Amino acid sequence: MKRLGSALLLLLLAACASLPSSSPARIEIFELTDTTFERTRNIRVWLPEGYDEAEGPFPVFYMFDGQNLFDAALSEYSGAEWEADETAARLIREGKIAPIIIVGIDNAGIHRSAEYLPFGEPMVGLADEEAMGTALDQFFRQDIFPLIEGKYKASTNDRALGGSSFGGIATLTVAIDDPSLFSRLLVESPSLWVSEFRVMEKIKESRPEIWPARIYTAMGTREITGTCPAAPQERDDQLVALHLQMTDYLLEKGLGEDRLLAVIDECAIHSEVAWAKRFPQALEFLYAE
């Protein structure tokens, strides 16, 4: 075989160097002033590796409390993050889930409780008439979906929703109020005690056909007390009992083990630390073939 001339070799090397490489995973952040609550907040969009080259569309996982998902320095409560970007990237790389987009929707700070709860709650000084959680389905239809689905290669029929604590209540509220919006739910450490258990009543009275294809939900046994070996407080036991009751309600609606994974996590606390630890299991279940 003849040796290539130096000019031709350099030309080939230059061509190889100019070939596009797979785009790295990244987070894009922008401000949104919504028309539902009329507030300005950040929207944080994690795009998987190779997003730019892929044709799409990608399944989209929408999550409440976006400040706490990707950066511990921004986390409002525990100084820890969900590690959502690292976990999703690893599971995609290992072939355990297909590539997805994660959309973190920042909460509204002092208005968080009002936006997330469908009923009033005396513990946070929220009256019934101030609770706006029943408008969350409108918030997604009117403000979030048009933005994300217009700007990104986002699926319009493969959407997941997730949240923790009051964000878990918001997730359940949206699922009940408009079942057409999401096909997968992540409900972490839901505050099922709020509003004198009125959310529990909504779940109990819900129609079986409204519930989505997959639900992952979990509760720690030391949500209030903290880690073991300290004995659980009465509130810890109440949270676990309520979670078990919610699980029973969902089982009665016909959700079998192929659609529902309900976890009681021994010694886990009410914190991003626990939610990050369970996030791989949640993603694998929600997006399993």
Side-chain angles (χ1 to χ4, degrees):
M1 183 181 291
K2 294 182 178 179
R3 298 177 64 184
L4 292 171
S6 59
L8 180 57
L9 180 60
L10 287 172
L11 184 62
L12 287 172
L13 289 173
C16 290
S18 65
L19 290 175
S21 59
S22 181
S23 55
R26 64 187 186 274
I27 298 172
E28 297 184 353
I29 304 172
F30 50 89
E31 278 191 349
L32 167 68
T33 300
D34 67 85
T35 60
T36 301
F37 302 115
E38 298 183 339
R39 298 191 178 104
T40 300
R41 74 194 74 223
N42 281 332
I43 306 296
R44 307 170 191 274
V45 182
W46 180 81
L47 301 172
E49 183 178 352
Y51 168 84
D52 293 328
E53 295 79 24
E55 200 169 310
F58 291 81
V60 186
F61 196 165
Y62 296 87
M63 299 184 69
F64 292 111
D65 292 317
Q67 300 100 315
N68 306 331
L69 300 179
F70 306 118
D71 187 345
L74 300 176
S75 184
E76 299 175 298
Y77 308 114
S78 65
E81 56 168 296
W82 281 65
E83 301 175 8
D85 47 346
E86 294 94 339
T87 296
R90 176 175 61 80
L91 293 179
I92 293 168
R93 189 169 58 249
E94 294 173 354
K96 293 181 177 178
I97 66 170
I100 62 172
I101 295 171
I102 300 177
V103 177
I105 304 164
D106 279 18
N107 65 53
I110 60 172
H111 303 292
R112 177 178 182 266
S113 298
E115 287 189 358
Y116 285 4
L117 298 184
F119 307 112
E121 172 49 52
M123 186 175 289
V124 294
L126 183 69
D128 261 0
E129 60 271 18
E130 298 170 317
M132 296 178 286
T134 53
L136 283 168
D137 56 339
Q138 175 185 316
F139 174 64
F140 280 101
R141 284 195 313 270
Q142 188 168 291
D143 298 298
I144 299 298
F145 292 158
L147 172 68
I148 299 301
E149 293 168 2
K151 184 178 177 66
Y152 296 99
K153 303 169 189 176
S155 174
T156 60
N157 56 24
D158 191 347
R159 306 174 180 131
L161 180 63
S164 59
S165 194
F166 281 10
I169 296 299
T171 300
L172 290 165
T173 298
V174 174
I176 295 171
D177 288 350
D178 194 336
S180 68
L181 297 184
F182 297 98
S183 58
R184 315 170 200 263
L185 301 181
L186 169 61
V187 182
E188 280 284 9
S189 303
S191 306
L192 297 167
W193 50 268
V194 296
S195 310
E196 297 181 335
F197 313 107
R198 288 157 76 184
V199 176
M200 285 287 284
E201 285 300 310
K202 282 173 69 81
I203 298 169
K204 181 181 180 181
E205 296 169 3
S206 65
R207 304 186 316 277
E209 65 270 16
I210 74 164
W211 294 100
R214 294 281 172 90
I215 302 175
Y216 177 96
T217 182
M219 183 71 71
T221 63
R222 297 297 188 277
E223 297 270 340
I224 306 299
T225 306
T227 54
C228 300
Q233 293 186 10
E234 183 179 345
R235 284 287 303 283
D236 289 317
D237 291 338
Q238 182 190 41
L239 289 172
V240 171
L242 286 170
H243 193 266
L244 291 171
Q245 183 65 73
M246 180 185 73
T247 301
D248 286 343
Y249 288 157
L250 294 174
L251 290 172
E252 290 167 5
K253 307 297 179 185
L255 279 76
E257 62 181 16
D258 58 328
R259 293 177 58 197
L260 174 65
L261 179 55
V263 174
I264 299 298
D265 194 357
E266 194 66 34
C267 296
I269 64 176
H270 195 82
S271 165
E272 283 75 20
V273 174
W275 305 326
K277 181 182 176 182
R278 296 194 290 261
F279 197 53
Q281 182 187 41
L283 283 183
E284 287 191 56
F285 177 76
L286 291 174
Y287 289 100
E289 293 296 334

